[in-house]
């Protein structure tokens, strides 16, 4: 079927010109995107940045040989055909697992290789392994943050086989039990420690563990074998709930996303002291000033553009979906411009994905992956409640986003994306 994009009337000739959908580069291939979430199957999407108009469609669905959900996916930094996954399974006595999968870069198919118990303290919501990552630069260590399990853990990893080895962290260095809500905190969200992410400095052997429950960033240094040393416990504003963070490419600044106040703050990194932090910009809102039901707004994901000039952060309205109007502007991607003088932020856009609710995951396309599409960069995001995914075009000069295409897909509650 022809895709008719527009028509114009030639007054002089008295004829209608029909412009059909076409490819800007007939020899190019579409780009695949892997979607993981709170279900065992992953969904494989195909985005075509070379067609006019751009298209996004579902190709396939597969559990990859494991019935565990794939709530977070990370790609190995060297062996890029290896994926790391964890199962954020928040039910009583549920074990947290760290899993590895092979990835066929041509077909996009994944296949289970190995798994290891992520450890952690059992709670009424299980362990809930929320985030997993390979230690740079070699990826011979895999780490996991256990949200309800009040711990993190590190394991030897073999990039050639995709198999896990022994647990590396010794004693209680990555254990945070016994925390109780403090004055000024959110009682039903900060009743215990909640490690939420393992984030690595761009070039220091330092990683950061945001703890939503304790309002802390636990900071550790590590050696080539994965040995850990406590560096600092960095206090963020009480009740703010640090969730994720990202770094400037220069390694001079960190951008901390605060889930419970739907805001982002800027921190200078002292590289001479192995990466300690100092706040230089107080939390500023991600949500728009005209959003409704602000008390239920929550931030989810944050990324920095490759040139360090722009920050992208997703927003979620946690209000019951039946009470949120279709035009409510709260589920957005907020875009910030970064001062090249001092790293501080100024909001420049609030981009909406029409028909999506609770934008959780978001990923920028890798540099150069769509170079033949005019050098454009793209952003993928999805509605965890509405089970749909959209791709935006990112103007690399202005940083602004333009909605391009979306697709409904099987019920996976999207929480993670991999550009293949």
């Amino acid at each position: 079927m022809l895709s008719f994009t527009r028509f114009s009337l030639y007054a002089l000739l008295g004829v209608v010109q029909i412009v059909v959908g076409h490819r800007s580069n007939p020899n190019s291939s579409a780009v695949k995107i892997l979607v993981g979430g709170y279900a065992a199957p992953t969904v494989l999407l195909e985005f075509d940045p070379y067609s006019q108009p751009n298209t996004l469609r579902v190709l396939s669905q597969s559990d990859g040989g494991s019935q565990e959900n794939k709530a977070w996916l990370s790609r190995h930094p060297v062996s890029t055909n290896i994926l790391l996954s964890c199962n954020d399974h928040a039910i009583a006595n549920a074990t947290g697992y760290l899993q590895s999968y092979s990835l066929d870069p041509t077909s996009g198919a994944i296949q289970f290789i190995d798994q290891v118990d992520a450890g952690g303290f059992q709670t009424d919501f299980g362990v809930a392994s929320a985030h997993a990552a390979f230690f740079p630069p070699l990826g011979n260590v895999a780490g996991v943050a256990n949200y309800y399990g009040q711990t993190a853990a590190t394991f030897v990893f073999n990039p050639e086989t995709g198999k896990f080895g022994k647990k590396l962290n010794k004693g209680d260095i990555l254990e945070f039990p016994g925390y109780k809500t403090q004055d000024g905190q959110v009682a039903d969200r900060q009743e215990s420690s909640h490690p939420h992410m393992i984030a690595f400095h761009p070039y220091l052997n330092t990683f950061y563990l945001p703890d939503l429950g304790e309002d802390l960033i636990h900071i550790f240094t590590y050696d080539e074998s994965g040995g850990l040393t406590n560096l600092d416990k960095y206090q963020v504003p009480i009740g703010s709930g640090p969730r994720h963070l990202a770094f400037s490419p220069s390694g001079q600044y960190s951008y901390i996303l605060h889930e419970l106040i739907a805001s982002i703050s800027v921190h200078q990194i002292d590289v001479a002291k192995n990466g300690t932090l100092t706040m230089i910009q107080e939390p500023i809102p991600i949500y728009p000033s005209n959003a409704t039901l602000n008390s239920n707004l929550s931030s989810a994901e944050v990324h920095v553009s490759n040139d360090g000039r722009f920050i992208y952060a997703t927003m979620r309205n946690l209000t019951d979906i039946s009470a949120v109007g279709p035009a409510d502007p709260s589920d957005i991607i907020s875009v910030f411009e970064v001062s090249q003088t001092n790293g501080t932020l100024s909001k420049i856009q609030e981009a909406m994905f029409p028909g999506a609710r609770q934008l959780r995951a978001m990923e920028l396309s890798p540099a150069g992956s769509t170079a033949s599409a005019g050098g454009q960069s793209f952003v993928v995001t999805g509605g965890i409640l509405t089970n749909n995914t959209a791709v935006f075009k990112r103007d690399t000069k202005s940083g602004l986003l333009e909605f391009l295409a979306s697709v409904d897909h099987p019920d996976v509650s999207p929480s993670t994306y991999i550009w293949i």
Side-chain angles (χ1 to χ4, degrees):
M1 178 181 294
L2 296 178
S3 175
F4 300 99
T5 59
R6 66 182 185 270
F7 71 92
S8 60
L9 183 66
Y10 279 101
L12 179 62
L13 298 178
V15 297
V16 172
Q17 178 196 32
I18 298 176
V19 181
V20 301
H22 65 281
R23 295 178 67 78
S24 58
N25 185 343
N27 298 319
S28 60
S29 299
V31 180
K32 294 181 177 65
I33 303 170
L34 187 65
V35 188
Y38 288 88
T42 56
V43 172
L44 186 65
L45 305 179
E46 181 185 75
F47 170 60
D48 193 340
Y50 312 101
S51 66
Q52 298 298 326
N54 301 136
T55 59
L56 183 65
R57 66 189 183 103
V58 176
L59 290 181
S60 62
Q61 183 180 15
S62 171
D63 64 15
S66 171
Q67 288 301 303
E68 294 296 333
N69 71 41
K70 288 82 173 170
W72 189 266
L73 294 169
S74 293
R75 202 166 187 176
H76 196 276
V78 180
S79 300
T80 55
N81 62 334
I82 298 290
L83 297 179
L84 189 64
S85 175
C86 58
N87 66 334
D88 189 356
H89 201 34
I91 63 173
N93 301 315
T95 301
Y97 287 112
L98 196 57
Q99 296 186 315
S100 58
Y101 292 83
S102 63
L103 170 68
D104 185 320
T106 302
S107 68
I110 66 169
Q111 184 59 47
F112 174 80
I113 300 174
D114 196 17
Q115 73 178 26
V116 64
D117 188 324
F121 300 99
Q122 277 292 346
T123 71
D124 290 342
F125 298 97
V127 170
S129 301
H131 187 271
F134 291 109
F135 277 51
L138 300 178
N140 57 357
V141 176
V144 61
N146 297 315
Y147 181 83
Y148 281 116
Q150 306 162 61
T151 63
T154 57
F155 299 87
V156 170
F157 188 80
N158 186 331
E160 295 183 2
T161 64
K163 298 277 191 177
F164 297 99
K166 66 179 181 179
K167 184 178 178 181
L168 286 172
N169 54 292
K170 305 296 184 183
D172 61 359
I173 191 169
L174 294 179
E175 297 180 355
F176 316 103
Y179 185 79
K180 302 296 181 183
T181 304
Q182 306 297 308
D183 289 343
Q185 291 192 305
V186 181
D188 61 345
R189 295 296 311 277
Q190 298 183 294
E191 76 296 342
S192 70
S193 168
H194 291 311
H196 215 308
M197 182 190 196
I198 293 179
F200 299 94
H201 188 273
Y203 52 83
L204 297 174
N205 282 3
T206 302
F207 79 85
Y208 301 76
L209 190 68
D211 189 329
L212 183 147
E214 294 195 46
D215 286 322
L216 291 176
I217 309 295
H218 304 281
I219 308 176
F220 304 88
T221 58
Y222 61 93
D223 58 33
E224 291 183 359
S225 63
L228 304 178
T229 302
N230 269 312
L231 179 63
D232 195 14
K233 290 185 177 181
Y234 180 67
Q235 181 75 61
V236 299
I238 296 297
S240 65
R243 175 186 173 92
H244 284 189
L245 56 85
F247 303 96
S248 64
S250 68
Q252 293 181 297
Y253 303 106
S254 174
Y255 303 95
I256 298 177
L257 197 66
H258 304 273
E259 177 173 337
L260 301 183
I261 58 172
S263 297
I264 188 169
S265 57
V266 184
H267 306 258
Q268 192 157 32
I269 299 173
D270 191 335
V271 296
K273 295 183 178 179
N274 291 321
T276 55
L277 302 176
T278 302
M279 182 182 291
I280 59 173
Q281 186 175 18
E282 297 282 340
I284 57 175
I286 292 170
Y287 58 84
S289 58
N290 62 337
T292 57
L293 305 167
N294 284 358
S295 62
N296 280 323
L297 299 183
S298 170
S299 55
E301 189 57 280
V302 60
H303 288 295
V304 182
S305 61
N306 292 325
D307 59 8
R309 297 175 56 226
F310 304 102
I311 303 288
Y312 299 84
T314 56
M315 269 295 314
R316 302 173 293 170
N317 190 334
L318 301 182
T319 307
D320 187 281
I321 192 170
S322 64
V324 181
D328 187 276
S330 53
D331 292 292
I332 59 171
I333 302 176
S334 282
V335 184
F336 298 86
E337 186 171 16
V338 180
S339 167
Q340 298 306 291
T341 302
N342 59 16
T344 56
L345 305 182
S346 301
K347 188 188 288 186
I348 59 174
Q349 186 186 20
E350 294 157 354
M352 286 190 66
F353 171 7
R357 281 294 167 239
Q358 291 195 18
L359 301 186
R360 185 184 181 99
M362 170 193 59
E363 291 292 334
L364 278 62
S365 60
S369 64
T370 51
S372 56
Q376 292 293 346
S377 179
F378 301 92
V379 176
V380 63
T381 189
I384 195 168
L385 293 187
T386 45
N387 279 293
N388 49 0
T389 290
V391 173
F392 291 77
K393 181 170 71 174
R394 189 179 77 85
D395 187 308
T396 55
K397 293 182 180 179
S398 70
L400 300 179
L401 301 180
E402 176 188 348
F403 178 85
L404 292 179
S406 66
V407 66
D408 295 333
H409 46 63
D411 186 1
V412 297
S413 300
S415 60
T416 183
Y417 291 96
I418 296 286
W419 289 86
I420 299 176

